[in-house]
């Protein structure tokens, strides 16, 4: 090989020791063959010399020879990959370099160097090629020595804010990029120097020199460089800017947190505060959420202000930037960005606020208008909260400590965040509206307060299973009856929520209507059962249908207590019997026959009567107080109820609440209602009665007797009207009834006049003409009495009239 050939080989950085050289003439015929070529392709020189080089290549590469030859003549050389044929036909992938080797006589020859690729990592490259690769690479590349001082870097590294390469030489990382965590990065370099194991895609976030006010993110990969003896020379590292990917991950993470943390309840103010909490500090340093006052009430949004501050948060403790507290009116100046966004429904962004401009809010406590400079706020976004095409309020994002202004990506993120929160706010608003409507329904269905009367001391406690609406199908009532008696009622409708509450309201109204008929308990339940069954048939409700507002299958307990003699009558329709707390504290359950549930048909209802001593307490309850959802829990529930009722308490009201708290958790699986009534007896001085003979002449004596009794009671002012009522009722009984007649006066909150006879027909109120001689008796009674009526007893009937003792008569 001549000097020129060695020079060319050196110039191309081709290792001759690892290559198999051969010579070709200008026609591509092999003129020189070496032992290395023989070892590579197994052709002896006698078979190779004189053959065309095309015979040593695969047909596909042989067809490329004219093109390669042309390149060699033009450029003087060629390098690339070809597939040669082994002497035994096996393809051998070789790296080929062809250079011109002019002979001394001026004829052209070609020097060909072959290197087998099976043992080679790839195409051998010259230093200029490698320098082109690293200098033109968009990836930042640098090398530090074992002291971690920069010894080389490529131009691309300057895009990350570093000084030019010559100025970086000899500097440590902290001196090159003081805004990054140099200590953590150099720790990675030392680890690579010690272990020799590369570190790939180490991420770090900070501020580079070229963008000191903007947070940037990079990935760095570190590889140790060793000398020929395997000793560490330094670390080679690459830098890739992943700021956009990092911010995208941050945006997705923020939206994920928003999905998890916003709207965890159906409380409007809490949802607004959750929006502010999520946005700080991930997106802004200070956030306010202002909602229309109508939205906070659960009403339909209106375009009219005021806006109320529903939530706010800051990176600074105590939210010092706030000029309006949560719950106060957020009054903004006309034409200010929040009001413009509220009216237009479109967001607004200002990268740099005028530091001397006044804060937009007006009517600030103290009257002083702060500037944005004083508040430390320099960048802002205002995004309206819109859901289902309606604007509910505005959210304002400020930056204070973070120096970079809000950009378009931040605005897009804020819109995504606020739109998710707006749906939650609107759901909470709709829930608030429906709940308020449900609570109004509940207040109209359950008694606001139990009527005042003297028969019993009464209290009640109600706990629904539906904690969202506060509504259920359990109910209770106390109904004053004639003769100082009261009806105590507890019932339950299947299901929960507003449907069950509506069914309960219809049932309660029906019970009050039937109670006015003064019927015995078993007859009240019988009529009630007919009403429920008829309604179910008309509505098409049956065993195979689902109707959430049907009363079919409801339970009811109806109790009538008479404070004159202490008698108590009761009947049940698919409902547990009440408990009785005797005056000595003993608890017992009434042995009450169980009738079928209302509307399902079955055996007729039965009632029982018992005498209760004064100071006994009736505990009427629904079955939610007994069972906890497990099978066979009623008996154990009764034991728990007995134990709870036996515990003393300072008052009946506290005792009632203590029983419910002891037996029913905060979120019961079934509605719970407990009505407790402590019995009273009217004293002998409050009741007077007389037998009246069946003689019209004795009517005057009955009037005088009643008048004397009123004088004893100090009720002389009621004498005239009472004499009139007694005269008319007794006269009517003598004329139309048979058997004994009895007159009774009762004094409690009202003056009750009762006339008993054995007749079975009820009197009717007539409206006589002016020419009629009679028929005005009951008309006069209805005019002078507060109320009057008839009730039937096993021995006949009682006609009664009441006059209020709490209001003076005219």
């Amino acid at each position: 090989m001549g000097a020129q050939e060695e020079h060319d080989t050196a110039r191309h950085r081709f290792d001759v020791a690892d290559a198999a050289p051969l010579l070709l003439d200008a026609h591509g015929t092999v003129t020189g063959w070496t032992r290395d070529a023989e070892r590579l392709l197994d052709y002896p020189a006698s078979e190779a010399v004189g053959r065309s080089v095309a015979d040593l290549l695969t047909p596909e590469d042989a067809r490329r020879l004219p093109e390669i030859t042309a390149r060699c003549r033009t450029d003087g050389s060629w390098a690339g990959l070809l597939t040669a044929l082994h002497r035994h036909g096996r393809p051998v992938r070789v790296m080929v370099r062809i250079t011109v080797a002019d002979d001394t006589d001026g004829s052209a020859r070609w020097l060909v160097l072959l290197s087998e690729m099976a043992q080679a990592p790839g195409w051998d490259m010259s230093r200029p090629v490698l320098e082109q690769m690293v200098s033109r690479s968009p990836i930042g590349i640098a090398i530090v020595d074992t002291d971690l001082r920069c010894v080389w870097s490529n131009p691309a590294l300057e895009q990350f804010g570093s000084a030019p390469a010559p100025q970086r030489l000899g500097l440590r990382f902290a001196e090159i990029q003081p805004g990054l965590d140099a200590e953590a990065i150099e720790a990675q370099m030392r680890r690579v120097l010690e272990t020799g194991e590369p570190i790939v895609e180490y991420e770090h976030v900070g501020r580079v020199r070229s963008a000191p006010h903007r947070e940037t993110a990079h990935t760095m990969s570190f590889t140790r460089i060793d000398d020929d003896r395997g000793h560490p020379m330094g670390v080679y590292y690459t830098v890739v800017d992943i700021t956009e990917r990092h911010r995208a991950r941050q945006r997705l993470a923020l939206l994920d947190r928003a999905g998890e943390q916003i709207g965890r309840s159906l409380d409007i103010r809490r949802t607004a505060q959750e929006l502010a909490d999520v946005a700080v500090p991930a997106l802004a340093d200070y956030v306010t959420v202002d909602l229309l006052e109508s939205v906070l009430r659960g009403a339909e949004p209106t375009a009219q202000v005021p806006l109320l501050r529903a939530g706010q948060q800051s990176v600074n403790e105590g939210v010092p930037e706030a000029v309006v507290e949560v719950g106060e009116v957020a009054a903004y100046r006309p034409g200010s960005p929040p009001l413009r966004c509220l009216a237009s429904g479109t967001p607004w962004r200002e990268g740099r606020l005028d530091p001397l401009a006044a804060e937009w809010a007006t009517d600030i406590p103290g009257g002083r208008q702060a500037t944005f400079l004083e508040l430390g706020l320099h960048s802002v976004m205002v995004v309206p909260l819109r859901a289902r095409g309606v604007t509910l309020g505005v959210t304002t994002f400020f930056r204070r400590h973070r120096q970079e202004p809000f950009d378009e990506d931040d605005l897009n993120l804020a819109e995504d965040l606020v739109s998710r929160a707006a749906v939650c706010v609107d759901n909470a608003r709709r829930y608030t509206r429906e709940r308020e409507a449900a609570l109004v329904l509940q207040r109209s269905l359950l008694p606001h307060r139990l009527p005042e009367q003297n028969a019993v001391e009464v209290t009640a406690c109600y706990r629904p299973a539906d904690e969202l609406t506060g509504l259920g199908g359990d109910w209770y009532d106390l109904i004053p009856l004639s003769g100082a008696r009261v009806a105590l009622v507890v019932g339950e409708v299947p299901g929960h929520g507003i449907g069950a509450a509506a069914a309960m309201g219809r049932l309660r109204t029906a019970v009050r209507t039937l109670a006015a008929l003064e019927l015995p308990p078993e007859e009240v339940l019988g009529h009630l059962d007919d009403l429920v069954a008829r309604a179910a048939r008309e509505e098409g409700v049956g065993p195979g249908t689902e109707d959430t507002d049907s009363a079919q299958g409801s339970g009811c307990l109806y109790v009538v207590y008479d404070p004159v003699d202490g008698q108590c009558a009761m009947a049940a329709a698919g409902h547990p019997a009440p408990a009785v707390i005797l005056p000595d504290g003993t608890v017992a359950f009434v042995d009450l026959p169980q009738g079928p549930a209302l509307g399902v048909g079955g055996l007729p209802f039965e009632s029982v009567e018992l005498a209760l001593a004064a100071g006994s307490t009736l505990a009427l309850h629904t079955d939610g107080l007994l069972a906890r959802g497990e099978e066979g829990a009623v008996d154990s529930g009764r034991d728990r109820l007995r134990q709870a009722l036996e515990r003393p308490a300072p008052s009946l009201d506290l005792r009632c609440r203590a029983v419910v708290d002891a037996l029913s958790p905060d979120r019961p699986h079934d509605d719970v209602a407990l009505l407790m009534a402590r019995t009273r007896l009217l004293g002998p001085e409050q009741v007077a009665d007389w037998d009246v003979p069946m003689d019209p002449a004795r009517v005057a004596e009955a009037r005088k007797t009643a008048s004397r009794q009123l004088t004893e009671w100090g009720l002389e002012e009621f004498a005239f009207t009472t004499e009139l009522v007694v005269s008319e009722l007794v006269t009517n009984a003598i004329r139309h009834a048979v058997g004994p007649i009895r007159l009774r006066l009762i004094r409690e909150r009202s003056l009750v006049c009762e006339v008993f006879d054995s007749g079975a027909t009820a009197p009717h109120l007539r409206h006589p003409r002016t020419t009629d001689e009679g028929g005005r008796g009951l008309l006069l009674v209805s005019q002078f009495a507060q109320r009057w009526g008839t009730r039937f007893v096993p021995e006949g009937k009682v006609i009664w009239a009441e006059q209020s003792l709490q209001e003076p008569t005219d």
Side-chain angles (χ1 to χ4, degrees):
M1 182 182 298
Q4 181 65 36
E5 295 171 348
E6 293 180 356
H7 172 74
D8 291 339
T9 303
R11 180 170 60 86
H12 288 279
R13 301 289 297 168
F14 200 95
D15 193 347
V16 178
D18 294 332
L22 62 145
L23 289 175
L24 305 178
D25 63 14
H27 303 288
T29 302
V30 178
T31 59
W33 193 256
T34 63
R35 292 184 179 180
D36 290 331
E38 183 177 348
R39 283 196 300 271
L40 180 63
L41 299 179
D42 200 33
Y43 288 99
S46 58
E47 294 184 15
V49 175
R51 296 183 65 173
S52 172
V53 70
D55 296 339
L56 303 178
L57 300 175
T58 60
E60 293 81 5
D61 284 352
R63 286 192 290 269
R64 295 175 56 195
L65 284 177
E67 176 188 353
I68 294 173
T69 302
R71 288 284 301 275
C72 290
R73 289 176 180 151
T74 303
D75 301 335
S77 64
W78 180 86
L81 298 178
L82 295 174
T83 304
L85 289 176
H86 193 269
R87 184 168 179 243
H88 299 293
R90 174 173 59 86
V92 179
R93 192 72 168 165
V94 292
M95 181 184 296
V96 181
R97 287 190 183 277
I98 306 175
T99 58
V100 178
D102 294 332
D103 205 349
T104 55
D105 59 1
S107 61
R109 288 194 299 169
W110 303 99
L111 172 64
V112 181
L113 300 177
L114 305 179
S115 179
E116 187 177 7
M117 294 299 297
Q119 304 298 325
W123 188 8
D124 290 336
M125 299 181 190
S126 64
R127 177 170 180 171
V129 173
L130 293 175
E131 288 177 348
Q132 290 181 52
M133 292 174 57
V134 297
S135 63
R136 297 178 184 178
S137 171
I139 299 175
I141 305 172
I143 299 175
V144 297
D145 60 17
T146 53
D147 293 327
L148 305 185
R149 296 187 179 277
C150 180
V151 296
W152 179 87
S153 63
N154 71 339
L157 203 61
E158 297 179 15
Q159 67 180 306
F160 302 105
S162 299
Q167 297 179 22
R168 293 195 295 268
L169 295 177
L171 299 180
R172 295 280 293 269
F173 200 88
E175 299 169 311
I176 299 172
Q177 291 287 7
L180 300 180
D181 188 355
E183 184 176 345
I185 294 173
E186 289 188 347
Q188 304 302 315
M189 296 180 183
R190 292 190 186 94
R191 177 182 167 187
V192 171
L193 282 172
E194 293 171 1
T195 65
E197 297 178 0
I199 294 177
V200 180
E201 294 190 348
Y202 168 76
E203 294 190 15
H204 65 88
V205 179
R207 288 177 169 81
V208 297
R209 284 182 181 272
S210 59
H213 301 306
R214 180 174 180 267
E215 198 172 65
T216 56
H218 306 88
T219 60
M220 302 181 70
S221 297
F222 306 91
T223 306
R224 192 174 76 181
I225 301 175
D226 298 336
D227 60 17
D228 294 339
R229 293 172 294 177
H231 297 158
M233 296 173 57
V235 174
Y236 159 87
Y237 67 87
T238 60
V239 184
V240 178
D241 189 335
I242 59 165
T243 301
E244 292 304 318
R245 187 172 72 187
H246 174 71
R247 296 188 69 183
R249 286 205 307 260
Q250 285 185 317
R251 289 193 290 268
L252 291 175
L254 178 59
L255 294 176
D256 284 343
R257 286 199 306 274
E260 295 173 358
Q261 299 178 22
I262 298 177
R264 291 176 294 182
S265 70
L266 288 173
D267 182 270
I268 299 176
R269 284 182 171 84
R270 181 176 175 184
T271 302
Q273 185 61 48
E274 289 168 346
L275 168 58
D277 292 341
V278 167
V280 175
L283 179 59
D285 297 326
Y286 171 50
V287 173
T288 66
V289 182
D290 301 320
L291 297 178
L292 291 167
E293 186 268 342
S294 57
V295 171
L296 288 169
R297 288 190 287 105
E300 289 296 325
T302 61
Q304 299 177 351
V305 289
L307 287 166
L308 296 182
R309 182 61 48 84
Q312 59 188 12
Q313 188 56 272
S314 170
V315 294
N316 299 302
E317 186 176 357
V319 196
E321 305 91 343
V323 295
V324 176
E325 297 299 323
V326 173
E328 294 180 350
V329 174
Y332 292 104
R333 296 197 313 270
S336 61
L339 293 187
R340 293 203 310 267
C341 292
L342 182 69
S344 66
T346 57
W348 175 82
R349 174 178 63 90
E350 185 68 38
R352 292 295 178 188
L353 283 167
D354 181 359
L356 299 181
E359 211 275 340
W360 301 315
T362 62
D363 300 331
I364 300 172
R368 184 175 179 275
Q369 199 79 10
T371 64
F372 288 115
L373 178 62
E374 292 172 317
L375 296 174
L377 307 175
H378 66 84
S379 188
V380 65
M381 298 184 297
V382 182
V383 180
L385 281 101
R386 289 181 56 81
R388 301 175 177 95
V390 177
T391 303
L392 310 174
V394 292
T395 304
T396 308
F397 303 82
F398 291 98
R399 277 188 176 163
R400 178 176 183 175
H401 299 297
R402 199 181 312 185
Q403 294 303 311
E404 63 266 31
F406 288 117
D407 57 21
E408 197 64 29
D409 288 341
D410 293 323
L411 183 60
N412 293 335
L413 175 59
E415 289 185 85
D416 288 343
L417 183 65
V418 172
S419 65
R420 296 189 181 201
V423 173
C424 298
V425 169
D426 193 52
N427 289 340
R429 178 192 66 82
R430 291 167 179 262
Y431 162 73
T432 300
R433 181 188 62 191
E434 297 301 325
R435 186 173 188 273
E436 287 299 321
L439 291 177
V440 170
L441 175 63
Q442 180 192 38
R443 287 191 290 268
S444 67
L445 296 179
L446 289 176
H448 293 203
R449 58 183 181 85
L450 296 172
E452 295 182 358
Q453 36 72 46
N454 290 339
V456 292
E457 177 190 356
V458 66
T459 187
C461 187
Y462 174 73
R463 182 166 294 171
D466 190 338
E467 63 173 349
L468 292 180
T469 63
L471 289 177
D474 289 13
W475 56 284
Y476 58 87
D477 208 350
L478 183 146
I479 307 170
L481 303 176
S482 64
R485 299 170 308 133
V486 291
L488 304 170
V489 193
V490 167
E492 56 185 317
V493 173
H496 312 293
I498 197 168
M504 173 267 286
R506 294 196 299 269
L507 198 59
R508 176 172 175 255
T509 301
V511 170
R512 294 183 72 89
T513 302
L514 292 171
L517 300 178
E518 303 279 0
L519 299 174
E522 69 277 13
E523 293 188 30
V524 170
L525 294 184
H527 287 292
L528 195 62
D529 179 69
D530 291 339
L531 287 173
V532 172
R534 187 182 310 118
R537 289 194 298 271
E538 292 173 354
E539 296 170 5
V541 178
T545 63
E546 295 183 1
D547 195 334
T548 57
D549 60 355
S550 172
Q552 190 175 37
S554 301
C556 184
L557 174 65
Y558 189 85
V559 179
V560 175
Y561 174 69
D562 189 342
V564 175
D565 55 9
Q567 289 296 311
C568 181
M570 63 183 70
H575 199 88
V580 179
I581 308 173
L582 300 178
D584 61 0
T586 305
V587 177
F589 290 90
V590 178
D591 186 11
L592 179 63
Q594 279 295 311
L598 297 174
V600 300
L603 298 174
F605 300 102
E606 300 181 47
S607 65
V608 296
E609 291 191 19
L610 63 156
L612 295 177
S616 301
T617 302
L618 280 167
L620 288 71
H621 59 87
T622 56
D623 58 8
L625 198 64
L626 296 179
R628 293 181 177 175
E630 63 269 18
E631 293 293 332
V634 174
D635 291 339
S636 61
R638 275 195 169 188
D639 293 337
R640 292 193 300 270
L641 177 58
R642 177 183 288 106
Q643 295 171 6
L645 291 172
E646 288 174 345
R647 300 189 188 105
S651 67
L652 186 64
D653 182 65
L654 293 177
R655 191 174 203 170
C656 182
R657 294 184 181 279
V659 170
V660 173
D661 289 341
L663 300 182
S664 176
D666 292 337
R667 298 175 61 182
H669 76 279
D670 195 7
D671 303 327
V672 172
L674 174 62
L675 179 68
M676 297 186 72
R678 184 177 293 155
T679 61
R680 298 173 178 142
L681 286 177
L682 300 182
E685 71 282 359
Q686 294 179 275
V687 181
D689 58 352
W690 307 272
D691 290 328
V692 179
M694 294 286 294
D695 183 357
R698 306 298 292 269
V699 174
E701 182 180 343
R703 290 198 301 268
K704 293 177 182 179
T705 301
S707 181
R708 285 194 299 269
Q709 185 63 54
L710 293 182
T711 301
E712 291 181 15
W713 285 343
L715 300 175
E716 293 86 350
E717 68 270 24
F718 293 92
F720 174 76
T721 55
T722 302
E723 287 184 14
L724 178 61
V725 170
V726 169
S727 177
E728 294 299 334
L729 294 185
V730 171
T731 300
N732 198 53
I734 292 174
R735 287 180 177 178
H736 302 288
V738 295
I741 299 174
R742 191 165 185 80
L743 171 64
R744 184 168 72 169
L745 296 179
I746 302 174
R747 175 178 61 88
E748 42 116 36
R749 292 179 178 270
S750 60
L751 178 61
V752 182
C753 177
E754 295 182 339
V755 174
F756 165 82
D757 64 58
S758 58
T761 58
H764 298 284
L765 180 65
R766 295 173 55 191
H767 297 275
R769 295 188 298 269
T770 56
T771 56
D772 291 344
E773 297 181 358
R776 294 181 175 83
L778 289 180
L779 180 61
L780 291 174
V781 170
S782 68
Q783 296 297 314
F784 287 105
Q786 184 182 21
R787 62 183 189 134
W788 73 280
T790 304
R791 72 174 182 269
F792 290 91
V793 294
E795 299 82 8
K797 68 176 182 294
V798 176
I799 305 175
W800 55 270
E802 289 185 4
Q803 301 175 75
S804 175
L805 298 181
Q806 297 179 334
E807 298 178 3
T809 58
D810 295 334

